[in-house]
Amino acid sequence: VIKRLLIANRGEIAIRIIRACRELGVESVAVYSEADKHAPHAVAADRAVCIGPGPLRDSYLSIANIVRAATAVDADSVHPGYGFLSEQAAFADACERAGLVFVGPPSSVIARMGSKIEARRLMQSVGVPVVPGQEPDDQSDEGVRRAVDRVGLPVLIKASAGGGGKGMRRVMDAHEIVDAVQGARREAMSAFGEGTLYVERLIERPRHIEVQILADRHGHTVHLFERECSVQRRHQKVIEESPSPVLTSGLRGRITDAAMQAAAAVGYRNAGTVEFLLDRPEAADGGPSFYFLEMNTRLQVEHPVTEEVTGLDLVRAQLIVASGEPIPWRNPPTQRGHAIEGRIYAEDPTRGFLPQAGRVLLYREPRSPGVRIDSGIAEGAEVSVHYDPLLAKVIASAESREVARVRLTAALRDFPILGVRTNIPFLLRILDDPRFRAGDIDTAFLDGEGSSLAEPVSLEPPAFVLAAMTAAAGSAGAPAAQMEPRGAWDPWQQLRDWRS
Amino acid sequence: MGSVAAAARLAELTDVAEEKASVTPLAPGMFSVDLGGKREIVYVAGPPTDQWAFWNGHVFHVEGVPEPLPQSEPGHRRARVAQTLSAPMPATVIAVLVAAGNRVKKGETVVLLEAMKMELPIRSLSDGTIAAVRCREGELVTAGQVLIEMQ
């Protein structure tokens, strides 16, 4: 049984896990880099341990530092969150060897699924459809080029160790091949330390559908239905939802069956996600309409949409299953209503989505029924160039997709974040787009037809905004008492003061 | 002393009479602006020279003191201007793909930066010649630092 859990992550997911610990009566231990000493996750946990300087490889990516911290505070278990070391078999293995319960699958499963090439071969062997492709033994530029020739353009060149769009290049034309191979390899080496590449036929304008799985040590495996994550920019998910607006119950049955088959084939345990590409019906041409893409052997960023439609707590279930207990639900999960998540990134959509860094001067989360916010920042916190620019996730749930869409829109319009630019205006334009409203989005939309949604709108501050800015500038040097909320004093009196 | 009366400014910018316009602080950084009956909630943060505002999902960022725009003479902008490419944010230089004297085409990648684990290509904004390379591979650069000078 887990009593003291070290959380090997930062930001919103660390805080999400700390909350689950509180509910279960598990003591939480945060880790932080020197740059994160005052970060919300470091402050929120029952204990916090410094694991090194700001750069990732010296702190959050240092297996030695994290295992040492876990041993030093006498933790009995480690939750890796997502990203960072969560899909590093070497990390799970180091935890296992140090006698720590790793909240995730065994290291051998992570290793098998972490090699995208091996995962493809395994799925093929059990009859789960995969995208037609080649895994060249000859990894030279020329060898990969020949594999591209065999598959036929257009293709995707992908890193076997890849994920999150890193180490991946799309090739439409023969003259782009060498640049794409070298770029993918360089990015893969830098992000994963491993540059093996493979080639897949490019499925044009597919939808991204993934199935949530949970398995315990007693031979029980359940799925928690699908999430649709087709709203992507350069392979980075932006908006996710459940259920998918296009799955019929027949197709849902087939795709969840394939996910269960995939989990069984690899001997899966704990929470995981099987990702599929759903081909356009007219392109599928009688062949399989969905293909296995990869298996993510960890909790996903977008897990809250599943929690909202099933009413279940995935992180709590992860901790219970990792303790050796059976899956904590008696009845099979059901899917009810609709949930949509928008990811708020510190990035400027009008300037090529450049990640933004700086101090958060003002941050006020909206509060309303059916709106959940998972966040990892606070007013006054520093958004650092060292880390992922995800600031918060806003999840709206309702009885229907349309009500959830409107609810998410209202929440984002009421979510001021100042000091760093965010993608909130971009999210609002996607939510309002006719294609999104109709549920007619594929993974190519934001990079193609929808790329205009990121274009700057030249909106000058309206008069009432300028007036508020004037008022704020006028009170900037004034005594703090003048900034007291309404009720503490007469606002009309205040206006006279400004004029004096 | 408050610099300008907010309500007076509001009246000046709109046709709402000054006595009907008001700006009421509700919480630190949060204002209710009344335009003669219709109210809007606006959030404001930052010093007067670097102010941010949020309204209804829109963000406004006003830097520096607004100055009258200098009148540029016609044709002046057409003069051949040396161009510089600078780092948009703090980053590590992972590759310098050009050297002084190289000719480059518009859109050609000249420097590869890495920030937040993502590659960030710096591309030439026009056809031209590299006048000077002002960064090295492996160097940590700050936002705004000049990387390449072009002619």
Side-chain angles (χ1 to χ4, degrees), chain A residues 11-13 82 237-238 240 301 304 341-346 363-366 372-378 383 388-395 408 412 415 417 422-424 427:
Chain A
E12 66 90 15
I13 194 61
Y82 54 69
K237 296 165 188 169
V238 179
E240 301 100 341
V301 177
E341 170 180 281
R343 297 191 188 189
I344 299 180
Y345 289 110
Y363 177 86
R364 310 282 160 83
E365 294 181 353
R372 162 177 171 182
I373 310 227
D374 282 19
S375 68
I377 59 157
V383 177
D388 190 272
L390 181 68
L391 299 180
K393 306 181 301 203
V394 183
I395 305 99
L408 182 55
L412 292 171
F415 196 166
I417 303 175
T422 75
N423 65 337
I424 286 179
L427 293 174

Side-chain angles (χ1 to χ4, degrees), chain A residues 276-320:
Chain A
F276 296 95
L277 288 182
L278 183 68
D279 213 346
R280 287 169 299 145
E282 67 274 21
D285 199 25
S289 62
F290 59 86
Y291 302 100
F292 170 83
L293 187 61
E294 60 182 52
M295 179 155 196
N296 294 318
T297 53
R298 55 172 164 86
L299 192 66
Q300 303 267 110
V301 177
E302 59 273 22
H303 75 276
V305 296
T306 296
E307 296 186 321
E308 295 305 314
V309 294
T310 58
L312 300 168
D313 184 331
L314 273 167
V315 180
R316 179 175 186 274
Q318 275 194 299
L319 297 178
I320 288 171

Side-chain angles (χ1 to χ4, degrees), chain A residues 117-457:
Chain A
I117 290 178
E118 197 179 334
R120 273 175 64 87
R121 289 181 177 145
L122 179 66
M123 293 310 147
Q124 271 177 301
S125 75
V126 296
V128 174
V130 301
V131 181
Q134 290 273 327
E135 305 101 36
D137 291 328
D138 177 1
Q139 283 287 317
S140 67
D141 290 0
E142 180 54 22
V144 180
R145 194 192 60 73
R146 277 199 300 270
V148 173
D149 284 346
R150 286 192 296 272
V151 174
L153 290 170
V155 299
L156 274 182
I157 294 174
K158 299 168 89 169
S160 184
K166 286 164 197 163
M168 170 150 52
R169 291 286 188 283
R170 169 208 289 252
V171 183
M172 305 300 287
D173 195 284
H175 78 265
E176 305 168 345
I177 296 177
V178 174
D179 268 4
V181 168
Q182 292 175 352
R185 189 186 290 129
R186 189 174 52 236
E187 207 168 284
M189 284 301 292
S190 150
F192 316 111
E194 212 268 290
T196 308
L197 303 176
Y198 66 106
V199 181
E200 273 182 3
R201 198 180 86 205
L202 180 69
I203 304 291
E204 302 205 53
R205 308 205 340 260
R207 284 170 174 265
H208 176 114
I209 308 269
E210 58 187 34
V211 178
Q212 177 70 51
I213 292 290
L214 185 78
D216 65 20
R217 282 187 209 172
H218 307 276
H220 310 124
T221 302
V222 295
H223 73 81
L224 289 87
F225 303 94
E226 82 283 5
R227 292 183 287 262
E228 169 146 5
C229 318
S230 298
V231 184
Q232 300 187 358
R233 219 196 115 255
R234 304 203 176 158
H235 306 287
Q236 294 281 353
K237 296 165 188 169
V238 179
I239 292 176
E240 301 100 341
E241 61 189 302
S242 184
S244 159
V246 288
L247 286 197
T248 57
S249 65
L251 192 50
R252 177 172 294 116
R254 286 202 287 137
I255 209 163
T256 51
D257 280 353
M260 295 285 279
Q261 227 176 325
V266 70
Y268 202 77
R269 243 186 274 152
N270 214 287
T273 294
V274 189
E275 296 189 334
F276 296 95
L277 288 182
L278 183 68
D279 213 346
R280 287 169 299 145
E282 67 274 21
D285 199 25
S289 62
F290 59 86
Y291 302 100
F292 170 83
L293 187 61
E294 60 182 52
M295 179 155 196
N296 294 318
T297 53
R298 55 172 164 86
L299 192 66
Q300 303 267 110
V301 177
E302 59 273 22
H303 75 276
V305 296
T306 296
E307 296 186 321
E308 295 305 314
V309 294
T310 58
L312 300 168
D313 184 331
L314 273 167
V315 180
R316 179 175 186 274
Q318 275 194 299
L319 297 178
I320 288 171
V321 166
S323 301
E325 292 169 43
I327 291 172
W329 316 307
R330 229 172 271 167
N331 300 317
T334 55
Q335 209 175 15
R336 208 185 76 169
H338 202 100
I340 310 180
E341 170 180 281
R343 297 191 188 189
I344 299 180
Y345 289 110
E347 63 185 17
D348 187 351
T350 65
R351 291 175 57 219
F353 292 88
L354 273 181
Q356 306 286 297
R359 186 171 294 281
V360 178
L361 301 173
L362 186 142
Y363 177 86
R364 310 282 160 83
E365 294 181 353
R367 280 161 201 271
S368 55
V371 174
R372 162 177 171 182
I373 310 227
D374 282 19
S375 68
I377 59 157
E379 207 161 282
E382 196 76 41
V383 177
S384 159
V385 60
H386 292 302
Y387 310 120
D388 190 272
L390 181 68
L391 299 180
K393 306 181 301 203
V394 183
I395 305 99
S397 38
E399 61 270 34
S400 71
R401 183 175 190 269
E402 178 57 15
V403 177
R405 186 189 72 81
V406 169
R407 192 165 272 178
L408 182 55
T409 301
L412 292 171
R413 283 193 181 141
D414 188 28
F415 196 166
I417 303 175
L418 298 178
V420 289
R421 290 255 174 210
T422 75
N423 65 337
I424 286 179
F426 180 57
L427 293 174
L428 285 167
R429 292 179 74 183
I430 298 169
L431 290 169
D432 192 41
D433 187 88
R435 290 266 309 267
F436 184 84
R437 285 166 172 249
D440 179 27
I441 296 271
D442 56 66
T443 59
F445 175 72
L446 280 190
D447 294 321
E449 190 191 326
S451 58
S452 61
L453 297 177
E455 278 166 15
V457 212

